[in-house]
Amino acid sequence: MKNLKKIKTALISVFYKRNLEKIVKKLDDLNVQIISTGGTEKFIRNLGIKVISVENITSFPEIMDGRVKTLHPKIFGGILARNENKNDKKQLEEFNIPIIDLVIVDLYPFEETVRNSKSEDEIIEKIDIGGISLIRASAKNYKDVFVVSSQNQYLEFIKILDKNQGITSIDERKEFARKSFSISSDYDRNILNYFSKKNILRYGENPHQEAYFSGEMEKIFDKLNGKKISYNNLLDIDAGLNLISEFKETTFAILKHNNACGLASRNNLLDAWKDALAGDPISAFGGVLICNKNLDKKTAEEINKIFFEVIIAPSYEEEALKILKQKKNRIILLLKENKNFQKEQFRTILNGFLYQEKDLKTEEEIDLKTVTKISPECKEISDLLFANKIVKHTKSNAIVLAKNKQLISSGVGQTSRVDALKQAIAKAKHFNFDLENSVMASDAFFPFSDSVEIAYNSGIRFVIQPGGSIRDKSVIKFCDEKKMSMVFTGTRHFKH
């Protein structure tokens, strides 16, 4: 029974008053004491219902054109007081603070004002301070306080009042608290979006879509040359930075639509560039280039022979920059050492968003479990780990083929793993790569042995995959029969 609470005192301060009359009259019928301020107080008085002014409780008037109304210890103390805390009760008595167990408050229409007004002063005035504070305080103390934070909740709240005559359950209070935090989160996000529009992008994924970036690019890189960075540029830049961070050896990568179309690790940057480009010289056109070592003049001369949109490096030789800057629209980015990338990922979906931790797992040799009779040698292990790093950053379903630390080809974003493999093989053959004794990496397990059979028939002899299929044994059996070597990582790397 202690989780049931009867509403005794309500604080009401709202912008929208539609359907509020029903609530106020019901509370009055239940002998609930009502506290209010401003226009809401006047609205309640006009209904002929007794209401106590906030000023009478705080002994302090509204100030600054109504900017400060409810922000007072006698209000927030009454909301945040914990019913089972003896010290809280003592302080309520000491400072003559009324317990408030119902808060009905909404927020100034900030988003609507942004849409309809070009006046920054008017928009700023619609950033709610007192309302958002009341919502958060009430929601935090849901064990003792019921909070109604939107006019869209009025009718549901009236049903609760009618059902139990002003008695609420802990589950009801917690659910309305959840709704309140969702509202406050969206509200703050809209404010952030407004202030973030200084990073307005040329357009979104397509020219008819508006877009902007909310963040601090200058903490990641310095822009040395080129046109304004676009939405799609940023997606490729982010994908490239995440990919290149996997490699310690001298490495060059070429990205297109967030996937690597060329990548190679070599003893020097020029060779890394040449072999990365050889992986797919067609897709490299208009791509994003990234390397992890100082970009020298010779490499710049070779790079300058093709058209690309963005290049990223940790440093540049002065002569290299002169060459690269010959194209005024070419975006040249200097990567900073103290990079602070996000470790969380969010995606809007339906009427909310999805959250997940970023995939920060990178397999090392110790993580590999050889499941076939033949074990890979050191050279093959190096290639397997190399390919596995790339497939981790490739859109699923994904297959990556590699040899001698060079990306030979990949099958990207296919609806079946077989199709991804066939795409990769066809592409490798198109660019005249020899697949004999190459390695294959898969972002997820093989549900059947058909993929390894296709791989074997194309000359692939080494496989790295997570494992975990109910048919792993049949896949392993085929590899053993054909004297292929396969290792399991135990970790799937889906990327959607």
Side-chain angles (χ1 to χ4, degrees):
M1 293 295 293
K2 69 178 182 179
N3 288 329
L4 297 175
K5 285 186 66 70
K6 184 171 178 60
I7 297 171
K8 297 178 181 179
T9 303
L11 172 66
I12 307 176
S13 180
V14 298
F15 187 88
Y16 297 103
K17 297 173 180 64
R18 183 183 176 188
N19 291 321
L20 181 64
E21 181 178 346
K22 296 178 183 178
I23 293 177
V24 172
K25 287 183 175 179
K26 182 64 180 179
L27 292 174
D28 187 54
D29 290 343
L30 295 170
N31 296 315
V32 174
Q33 180 177 257
I34 298 176
I35 302 168
S36 191
T37 185
T40 308
E41 179 188 351
K42 183 178 179 181
F43 174 85
I44 296 171
R45 288 193 192 281
N46 289 339
L47 293 175
I49 294 173
K50 185 179 179 181
V51 57
I52 300 172
S53 172
V54 165
E55 291 90 332
N56 289 343
I57 293 173
T58 63
S59 299
F60 207 93
E62 288 186 17
I63 60 173
M64 302 176 185
D65 298 324
R67 277 190 164 199
V68 182
K69 301 176 186 176
T70 55
L71 293 168
H72 195 281
K74 281 200 170 184
I75 299 300
F76 279 84
I79 294 170
L80 288 166
R82 294 158 291 187
N83 188 50
E84 296 182 352
N85 188 296
K86 292 181 180 180
N87 189 53
D88 285 5
K89 286 186 174 181
K90 181 181 177 182
Q91 290 183 327
L92 288 174
E93 293 177 7
E94 181 182 355
F95 297 107
N96 193 28
I97 300 173
I99 295 175
I100 298 171
D101 44 31
L102 169 64
V103 173
I104 302 176
V105 63
D106 59 12
L107 301 171
Y108 290 158
F110 177 81
E111 189 176 12
E112 181 182 330
T113 307
V114 171
R115 284 198 303 267
N116 299 327
S117 175
K118 294 183 179 180
S119 168
E120 185 169 48
D121 287 343
E122 185 180 355
I123 290 169
I124 296 302
E125 281 307 308
K126 287 299 185 287
I127 296 177
D128 206 308
I129 303 300
I132 200 81
S133 301
L134 289 169
I135 286 174
R136 290 179 64 84
S138 307
K140 175 179 179 176
N141 202 26
Y142 69 87
K143 289 182 179 180
D144 295 309
V145 181
F146 198 109
V147 56
V148 180
S149 53
S150 167
Q151 63 171 339
N152 296 327
Q153 300 166 8
Y154 288 177
L155 295 180
E156 184 180 358
F157 179 59
I158 290 170
K159 290 179 181 178
I160 292 173
L161 289 177
D162 287 337
K163 181 179 67 173
N164 293 316
Q165 296 301 298
I167 296 175
T168 65
S169 69
I170 185 69
D171 290 339
E172 289 168 337
R173 295 193 298 275
K174 189 172 185 178
E175 173 58 18
F176 272 69
R178 182 197 65 78
K179 292 178 179 179
S180 297
F181 281 122
S182 176
I183 286 171
S184 68
S185 175
D186 289 343
Y187 194 79
D188 286 338
R189 189 180 301 111
N190 288 329
I191 295 171
L192 174 62
N193 289 346
Y194 173 75
F195 281 95
S196 296
K197 289 194 175 182
K198 60 183 178 182
N199 286 323
I200 295 174
L201 305 175
R202 282 185 286 147
Y203 50 79
E205 208 160 2
N206 300 292
H208 63 277
Q209 294 171 267
E210 292 184 1
Y212 58 86
F213 173 73
S214 175
E216 299 171 290
M217 286 187 247
E218 64 276 7
K219 289 188 176 181
I220 305 296
F221 50 72
D222 288 326
K223 185 165 173 281
L224 306 181
N225 188 74
K227 61 187 177 182
K228 200 168 185 179
I229 297 173
S230 73
Y231 181 95
N232 290 331
N233 288 155
L234 280 175
L235 290 177
D236 281 329
I237 289 167
D238 180 67
L241 291 175
N242 284 302
L243 175 59
I244 204 72
S245 67
E246 302 277 6
F247 298 90
K248 294 180 181 179
E249 296 176 80
T250 300
T251 302
F252 220 118
I254 306 169
L255 284 93
K256 201 74 172 286
H257 297 292
N258 313 153
N259 297 295
C261 58
L263 192 148
S265 295
R266 293 292 180 261
N267 292 327
N268 64 77
L269 197 63
L270 180 58
D271 287 344
W273 161 251
K274 288 180 178 179
D275 287 342
L277 180 62
D280 187 347
I282 295 175
S283 295
F285 182 87
V288 169
L289 318 182
I290 184 167
C291 63
N292 60 359
K293 301 296 179 183
N294 178 56
L295 205 151
D296 58 272
K297 179 185 176 183
K298 287 186 178 180
T299 306
E301 288 173 339
E302 289 298 315
I303 291 171
N304 201 43
K305 294 177 181 178
I306 72 163
F307 168 74
F308 60 91
E309 291 221 349
V310 182
I311 185 163
I312 312 164
S315 59
Y316 298 85
E317 285 185 1
E318 187 175 341
E319 291 300 315
L321 274 179
K322 287 181 180 178
I323 294 167
L324 295 173
K325 286 183 177 181
Q326 290 173 5
K327 304 289 185 181
K328 68 176 183 177
N329 286 332
R330 180 179 287 161
I331 298 169
I332 303 174
L333 303 178
L334 176 65
L335 188 61
K336 295 187 174 181
E337 288 185 15
N338 298 321
K339 301 177 291 295
N340 186 20
F341 298 145
Q342 294 281 5
K343 294 184 179 179
E344 301 168 314
Q345 293 178 318
F346 298 89
R347 180 181 293 187
T348 57
I349 182 172
L350 302 176
N351 61 348
F353 63 89
L354 285 172
Y355 157 85
Q356 70 170 355
E357 294 177 343
K358 200 171 183 178
D359 185 358
L360 299 175
K361 171 70 174 175
T362 300
E363 285 72 37
E364 300 177 359
E365 185 172 351
I366 195 173
D367 299 308
L368 306 185
K369 177 184 178 182
T370 302
V371 293
T372 50
K373 294 176 182 178
I374 298 176
S375 298
E377 300 295 334
C378 289
K379 180 179 178 299
E380 286 77 33
I381 290 174
S382 179
D383 273 348
L384 288 167
L385 292 172
F386 173 89
N388 196 56
K389 289 175 182 178
I390 301 172
V391 84
K392 170 187 169 181
H393 294 274
T394 304
K395 188 173 178 64
S396 300
N397 286 309
I399 292 289
V400 163
L401 306 181
K403 189 175 181 180
N404 299 325
K405 293 185 180 179
Q406 179 187 23
L407 171 60
I408 292 177
S409 66
S410 57
V412 179
Q414 299 301 303
T415 53
S416 81
R417 204 151 298 282
V418 169
D419 285 345
L421 176 56
K422 288 179 177 178
Q423 181 190 58
I425 292 170
K427 192 173 181 180
K429 290 180 177 178
H430 177 75
F431 292 113
N432 298 315
F433 280 104
D434 180 11
L435 290 175
E436 196 65 34
N437 292 319
S438 60
V439 307
M440 172 174 70
S442 175
D443 62 335
F445 64 64
F446 293 109
F448 303 97
S449 61
D450 48 3
S451 291
V452 288
E453 182 176 352
I454 294 169
Y456 172 79
N457 292 333
S458 298
I460 298 163
R461 294 294 180 266
F462 303 92
V463 181
I464 184 169
Q465 60 136 320
S469 168
I470 59 173
R471 298 183 180 85
D472 277 346
K473 289 183 179 179
S474 66
V475 178
I476 294 169
K477 181 182 178 183
F478 179 87
C479 290
D480 281 335
E481 288 174 353
K482 300 299 181 180
K483 297 183 179 180
M484 296 175 71
S485 177
M486 183 163 62
V487 297
F488 284 0
T489 65
T491 303
R492 189 181 73 185
H493 289 296
F494 269 165
K495 185 185 178 190
H496 295 111

